Amino acid sequence: GPIREGMKLRNTYMLDLSKNGFYGTIPSDLTMENYSTLRLLYLDHNLIQGQIPQSLMQMKKLKGLFLNNNAFTGGVPYNIIDEQKLNLLTLRVQNNQLTQPIAPSICELDVNGGQYELVELGVDCSICNECSLCMRKCY
């Protein structure tokens, strides 16, 4: 079934909902305010569809975001000013139905660039846009 809204697990460090046959969209209350301690979010290998919510990309404490192997459409939202950038280590969005190229601001999170921590970016080759992280490991 769908992932239900209203869980508000404020003290959750890791939320693993992968490989459960969830469908529908990501709940709108999956935000920094409701999941302020969340570091790892696994939603991979489900049937989740729709757009990837901007709220996920604003969770500054998130280290691992696994959205791969679903039916997401559009792109990976990321239009945040510099001081709000994430400190992600891993972002996986491959094997979805994404059509928009990865934003250069996501590629700039590359640990090799200096002040950020992103070491793994898993995307489909069709949305990789000359990003050093994409090009190294394009699926």
Side-chain angles (χ1 to χ4, degrees), residues 63-112:
K63 294 292 184 188
L65 180 57
F66 301 85
L67 303 175
N68 51 295
N69 298 84
N70 278 290
F72 290 110
T73 57
V76 180
Y78 200 79
N79 55 358
I80 300 172
I81 57 177
D82 284 343
E83 56 267 16
Q84 292 179 315
K85 283 191 176 178
L86 292 173
N87 291 308
L88 275 174
L89 295 171
T90 300
L91 173 61
R92 292 187 187 165
V93 293
Q94 71 270 21
N95 299 319
N96 279 288
Q97 297 170 11
L98 299 175
T99 54
Q100 296 175 5
I102 292 295
S105 54
I106 292 176
C107 298
E108 291 169 7
L109 298 175
D110 185 347
V111 69
N112 297 313

Side-chain angles (χ1 to χ4, degrees), residues 7 9 12-17 30 35 38 40-42:
M7 291 188 287
L9 305 169
T12 301
Y13 177 81
M14 179 181 82
L15 183 58
D16 188 350
L17 301 175
L30 189 53
Y35 293 84
L38 192 62
L40 299 167
L41 178 60
Y42 296 89

Side-chain angles (χ1 to χ4, degrees), residues 107-126:
C107 298
E108 291 169 7
L109 298 175
D110 185 347
V111 69
N112 297 313
Q115 47 185 189
Y116 301 107
E117 300 180 22
L118 191 62
V119 294
E120 182 184 354
L121 176 59
V123 302
D124 296 314
C125 293
S126 61

